Amino acid sequence: MSLDTRSLGYTGEQLTGVGLGTWAIGGGDWQYGWGPQEDQESVAAIRRALDVGINWIDTARVYGLGHSEKIVGEAITGRRDEVFLATKCGPHWKEDGTIYRRLKAASVRKECESSLKRLKTDVIDLYQIHWPDPPEDIEEGWTEIAKLVEEGKIRYAGVSNFTVEHLRAVQAIHPVASLQPPYSMLRRGVEDALLPYCAENNIGVIVYSPMVCGLLTGKFSKARLAGLPANDWRRGNLEFRAPAFEANLALVDGLKPIAERNNLTLSQLAIAWVLRRPEVTSAIVGARRPDQIEETARAGNAALSEDDVRTIENLLAQRQETIAAAS
Ligand SMILES: NC(=O)c1ccc[n+]([C@@H]2O[C@H](COP(=O)([O-])OP(=O)(O)OC[C@H]3O[C@@H](n4cnc5c(N)ncnc54)[C@H](OP(=O)(O)O)[C@@H]3O)[C@@H](O)[C@H]2O)c1
């Protein structure tokens, strides 16, 4: 099955509807780790993603404190030409692993050099500011990224977690190829202003955590949550705690018949739902094992009917009411 592609904003680059996200394969040994992860399994997952036709990968220097980039670099050795490679800068870590953020020019440049080495490549296709923080340094960091484009170390410049105001500020300096915001059935903050703004300004949109970090896959239960390793950050996330967690499990139950009648799995349905918006270029979908990405890759080719979208709206409204009543 060949995977459908969409154009990344003004760049015209064709990305598959699903891109592989590599946060979880950074492993458990840091503040936002996902518990133990075997590197061999991570490499196999990345290679399977390419085997099934996914043509782009998202990583970040901070994922696993450099480990995710290193694993991506290893996995794509000999296959660099098959991948549109995206990474991010900004977050740093102290010796005790605590994360802080920097966007000073010298810091951005140094980060880029280190990412190129870990990724074992001469050029990064998409280099993104991970967070608009510290706000007073956004323009300085972006100006340096524009220089890195001129020097040929990166091909395109993008941003993540930016508001419309942040986008306006950096667009005046250098064109923005892409925005990477959160978007899922549970996080819809981008719908009213950011998605239309990106469409009007020809900015590609690559959305993250479409399955809410695994919560919408149908593989979560109270027992699974209780058994998560102590160093899996999801334990502390509000969507995985009462009263939201119970309401989220009920939502997933309600989604099952919609998935079934479309011949989709729940994971595929969650991804197809974010891709229903034409402003969205691609969904960044995390995977820790080859079978996971093999399943989700196909979601980029699925289309939902208006009736399905309406039914999902009703389920989401019910979820809100349940949470409000329990709070
Ligand atoms: N820019 C940012 O600030 C930012 C923030 C978050 C994420 N991101 C990017 O977006 C990517 C995707 O987001 P995400 O990883 O947070 O969440 P996600 O894609 O919603 O969920 C990924 C997780 O779901 C589970 N999963 C994946 N495929 C599955 C399947 N077929 N069946 C059952 N479970 C499955 C896996 O975890 P388990 O098997 O452990 O359940 C996997 O790690 C990240 O990897 C990262 O590249 C960026």
Side-chain angles (χ1 to χ4, degrees):
M1 176 188 198
S2 77
L3 301 184
D4 295 347
T5 60
R6 300 185 189 187
S7 197
L8 182 73
Y10 81 84
T11 73
E13 295 283 338
Q14 294 297 311
L15 302 191
T16 44
V18 167
L20 176 65
T22 60
W23 175 13
I25 68 168
D29 288 336
W30 68 299
Q31 196 178 348
Y32 298 103
W34 290 59
Q37 176 72 19
E38 288 293 329
D39 290 347
Q40 273 181 337
E41 195 133 65
S42 301
V43 169
I46 295 166
R47 293 192 178 147
R48 183 73 61 84
L50 302 187
D51 292 342
V52 299
I54 287 178
N55 70 0
W56 82 280
I57 297 175
D58 178 72
T59 184
R61 179 172 168 270
V62 76
Y63 295 161
L65 310 183
H67 195 63
S68 171
E69 283 189 333
K70 189 168 157 278
I71 295 299
V72 170
E74 263 170 52
I76 64 170
T77 298
R79 303 183 71 169
R80 177 68 184 89
D81 58 344
E82 292 175 49
V83 190
F84 183 89
L85 192 52
T87 191
K88 311 182 204 82
C89 66
H92 287 247
W93 52 94
K94 296 183 188 160
E95 254 177 45
D96 68 356
T98 317
I99 306 298
Y100 65 101
R101 296 171 184 152
R102 295 203 68 197
L103 289 173
K104 290 284 182 205
S107 163
V108 166
R109 177 166 292 270
K110 209 165 143 202
E111 280 196 65
C112 179
E113 299 290 357
S114 73
S115 290
L116 283 164
K117 280 201 193 99
R118 270 192 297 272
L119 291 165
K120 296 192 175 121
T121 186
D122 297 332
V123 62
I124 292 162
D125 296 302
L126 181 65
Y127 200 54
Q128 306 154 96
I129 292 185
H130 206 147
W131 288 91
D133 183 45
E136 64 276 16
D137 291 337
I138 295 173
E139 292 176 19
E140 177 174 335
W142 188 250
T143 304
E144 195 64 13
I145 288 179
K147 284 187 195 152
L148 293 165
V149 173
E150 265 172 40
E151 293 166 27
K153 291 186 198 287
I154 62 187
R155 293 178 61 218
Y156 303 109
V159 296
S160 180
N161 298 304
F162 271 38
T163 62
V164 167
E165 288 68 33
H166 294 134
L167 284 170
R168 279 207 185 96
V170 294
Q171 273 177 299
I173 300 168
H174 182 84
V176 181
S178 61
L179 170 71
Q180 179 173 153
Y183 187 37
S184 65
M185 290 184 201
L186 308 193
R187 284 186 83 178
R188 305 181 63 175
V190 295
E191 287 181 346
D192 293 342
L194 271 168
L195 291 183
Y197 183 84
C198 287
E200 278 159 27
N201 286 273
N202 220 359
I203 296 172
V205 184
I206 47 182
V207 299
Y208 71 72
S209 305
M211 307 181 296
V212 194
C213 309
L215 188 50
L216 299 185
T217 60
K219 305 284 163 60
F220 260 91
S221 60
K222 280 189 180 169
R224 165 121 198 257
L225 182 61
L228 282 184
N231 58 353
D232 189 321
W233 72 277
R234 289 175 291 189
R235 279 180 160 278
N237 183 271
L238 286 181
E239 295 297 353
F240 289 80
R241 300 174 81 153
F245 186 66
E246 286 72 13
N248 292 335
L249 291 185
L251 166 69
V252 170
D253 270 344
L255 293 171
K256 278 179 190 160
I258 307 171
E260 273 162 24
R261 69 172 173 257
N262 282 282
N263 207 15
L264 298 172
T265 64
L266 284 161
S267 307
Q268 291 166 341
L269 178 67
I271 300 162
W273 186 85
V274 297
L275 289 171
R276 84 199 185 291
R277 288 286 298 231
E279 303 96 326
V280 174
T281 309
S282 181
I284 314 175
V285 180
R288 322 179 66 168
R289 301 195 311 264
D291 61 294
Q292 289 184 330
I293 196 63
E294 184 159 353
E295 176 189 329
T296 48
R298 297 178 213 156
N301 289 27
L304 300 177
S305 69
E306 279 178 26
D307 195 34
D308 292 330
V309 172
R310 251 194 314 272
T311 311
I312 292 172
E313 283 299 337
N314 291 337
L315 290 170
L316 292 175
Q318 278 168 31
R319 169 187 168 274
Q320 287 285 49
E321 281 166 26
T322 310
I323 293 175
S327 303

